């Protein structure tokens, strides 16, 4: 039974999964949107929403918790600087997932995950 086991395995080791989602969270905050598979986008939503909630709190402990996931200081600074203005009025659900169809090579369902409020500097789509 799989009771109380949140998250997906994605056929990867736990260290690979953690590293992959840390990189995806960093890219998501840096670029504002990511094009990835549907399952990864749904799991990434959990990680990104947690980081935005920490940024809305804005205290030193929250910043250090975010730095334990996002290893780039400038990305954490960017998130904490704009989170209260962009998401202060929103109680949750900071991202949206848009289905894009199937990938050409292996027919994996693809999705675009982006922040709900438009980013001031988000240009292009980051591949993950």
């Amino acid at each position: 039974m799989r009771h109380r086991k949140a998250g997906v395995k994605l056929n990867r080791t736990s260290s690979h999964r953690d590293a992959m989602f840390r990189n995806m969270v960093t890219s998501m905050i840096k670029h504002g949107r990511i094009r990835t598979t549907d399952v990864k986008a749904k799991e990434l939503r959990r990680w990104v929403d947690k980081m935005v909630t920490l940024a809305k709190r804005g205290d030193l402990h929250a910043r250090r918790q975010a730095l334990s996931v996002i290893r780039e200081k400038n990305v954490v600074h960017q998130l904490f600087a704009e989170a209260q203005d962009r998401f202060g009025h929103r109680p949750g659900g900071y991202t949206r997932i848009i289905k894009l169809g199937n990938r050409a090579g292996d027919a994996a369902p693809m999705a675009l995950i982006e922040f709900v409020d438009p980013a001031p500097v988000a240009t292009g789509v980051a591949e993950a």
Side-chain angles (χ1 to χ4, degrees), residues 17-36:
R17 218 174 22 248
D18 287 344
M20 179 184 67
F21 282 118
R22 284 172 195 227
N23 290 332
M24 289 175 77
V25 167
T26 304
S27 297
M28 172 82 179
I29 294 167
K30 200 183 291 186
H31 300 289
R33 59 174 57 176
I34 289 182
R35 183 174 174 266
T36 184

Side-chain angles (χ1 to χ4, degrees), residues 10-106:
L10 295 172
N11 202 20
R12 288 164 170 79
T13 62
S14 61
S15 59
H16 184 188
R17 218 174 22 248
D18 287 344
M20 179 184 67
F21 282 118
R22 284 172 195 227
N23 290 332
M24 289 175 77
V25 167
T26 304
S27 297
M28 172 82 179
I29 294 167
K30 200 183 291 186
H31 300 289
R33 59 174 57 176
I34 289 182
R35 183 174 174 266
T36 184
T37 62
D38 195 23
V39 178
K40 286 180 192 171
K42 288 177 181 178
E43 180 66 16
L44 178 64
R45 179 174 47 192
R46 294 177 62 230
W47 287 66
V48 172
D49 284 356
K50 184 178 279 191
M51 292 301 107
V52 173
T53 303
L54 287 174
K56 279 175 57 176
R57 231 175 58 203
D59 56 348
L60 180 62
H61 183 55
R63 187 175 294 263
R64 286 180 174 162
Q65 284 178 317
L67 276 166
S68 72
V69 173
I70 305 166
R71 300 294 170 91
E72 296 182 24
K73 279 188 178 181
N74 56 349
V75 175
V76 172
H77 180 70
Q78 172 191 348
L79 175 65
F80 274 68
E82 65 187 26
Q84 193 60 40
D85 297 333
R86 284 178 68 184
F87 306 112
H89 62 284
R90 186 176 292 273
Y94 310 111
T95 56
R96 82 167 55 96
I97 296 176
I98 301 166
K99 309 268 178 140
L100 297 176
N102 293 339
R103 186 162 49 196
D106 58 355

